[in-house]
């Protein structure tokens, strides 16, 4: 009976060790992937900020042009 308990304990320790090793390998493989995703997300956010700035600048330029034309028409 004690042989079965010893075998079971040894089997469980080996299984846990394999699971820990597999998890560590998985986490090591995941790190560069996560780094790439974070980098891509930062680049995407930067591009959106630039786009928003360009749109805002274009709206301001258009509004200025429209105001200038309206003032010229009033003066004429």
């Amino acid at each position: 009976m004690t042989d079965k308990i010893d075998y079971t304990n040894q089997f469980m320790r080996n299984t846990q060790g394999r699971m820990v090793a597999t998890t560590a390998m998985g986490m090591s493989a995941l790190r560069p992937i996560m780094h790439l995703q974070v980098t891509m997300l930062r680049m995407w956010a930067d591009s959106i900020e630039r786009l928003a700035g360009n749109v805002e600048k274009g709206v301001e330029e258009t509004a200025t042009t429209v105001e200038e034309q309206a003032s010229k028409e009033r003066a004429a």
Side-chain angles (χ1 to χ4, degrees), residues 4-41:
K4 283 186 177 181
I5 292 172
D6 288 340
Y7 177 74
T8 304
N9 288 339
Q10 184 181 7
F11 178 75
M12 290 303 291
R13 271 188 252 127
N14 287 342
T15 303
Q16 287 175 346
R18 283 189 219 126
M19 288 182 69
V20 168
T22 303
T23 303
M25 286 173 42
M27 293 302 286
S28 295
L30 228 125
R31 187 180 311 244
I33 294 169
M34 291 297 290
H35 182 70
L36 175 67
Q37 287 179 338
V38 167
T39 302
M40 295 293 285
L41 186 61

